[in-house]
Amino acid sequence: LTGTLPASWSSFTNLVHLHLEYNQLSGTLPESWSSLTSLGRLILDNNDLSGPLPESWSTLSSLVFFYTRDNMLNGTLPSSYSNMTSLKYVFMDRNEITGQIPDSWGALVNMEWLYFPNNKLT
């Protein structure tokens, strides 16, 4: 697949799993996907995605697996992601994430894996 992530997919409100890894997707992560509140698994590894992590995605309270490995995502980790209380596995290695892991993420009591090598965290 090539192109950008369609904002119109925000209408897939019953979507539970979305795997788009190993494609040639580019552009930013759509703010409108914050409506995908049934989403439990989002795998976006190995694409050409860029830009910051959308603050609005903090509404994805069913998300368990969040993988964005090998992209060009940048900016800081949103502190509001502490609202994503189902998160267990976050793999964001090989991006350009900056700053620190927010203290608020300590509220993510279900977290089992945080994986951030090869970023620009301090």
Side-chain angles (χ1 to χ4, degrees):
L1 297 173
T2 60
T4 60
L5 299 172
S8 61
W9 286 8
S10 61
S11 64
F12 299 156
T13 55
N14 294 318
L15 187 66
V16 176
H17 299 288
L18 182 57
H19 288 252
L20 294 170
E21 66 270 33
Y22 296 98
N23 284 291
Q24 296 175 355
L25 298 168
S26 59
T28 60
L29 304 175
E31 291 276 346
S32 62
W33 283 19
S34 61
S35 64
L36 301 178
T37 55
S38 297
L39 197 61
R41 188 175 298 208
L42 179 59
I43 313 296
L44 299 171
D45 296 347
N46 295 88
N47 282 288
D48 295 316
L49 299 169
S50 60
L53 295 165
E55 189 85 32
S56 63
W57 283 18
S58 64
T59 60
L60 302 179
S61 59
S62 298
L63 198 62
V64 175
F65 296 87
F66 187 22
Y67 293 8
T68 63
R69 305 169 89 170
D70 290 304
N71 280 287
M72 296 175 287
L73 298 173
N74 58 41
T76 60
L77 298 167
S79 60
S80 62
Y81 280 21
S82 61
N83 295 327
M84 301 164 80
T85 54
S86 296
L87 271 180
K88 284 188 177 184
Y89 307 98
V90 176
F91 287 77
M92 295 187 180
D93 48 306
R94 294 182 295 274
N95 279 285
E96 298 177 12
I97 305 293
T98 58
Q100 298 179 341
I101 297 173
D103 289 340
S104 62
W105 284 30
L108 298 171
V109 296
N110 293 313
M111 187 66 70
E112 293 184 19
W113 280 86
L114 283 176
Y115 197 69
F116 292 105
N118 297 310
N119 276 284
K120 298 177 180 176
L121 294 172
T122 56

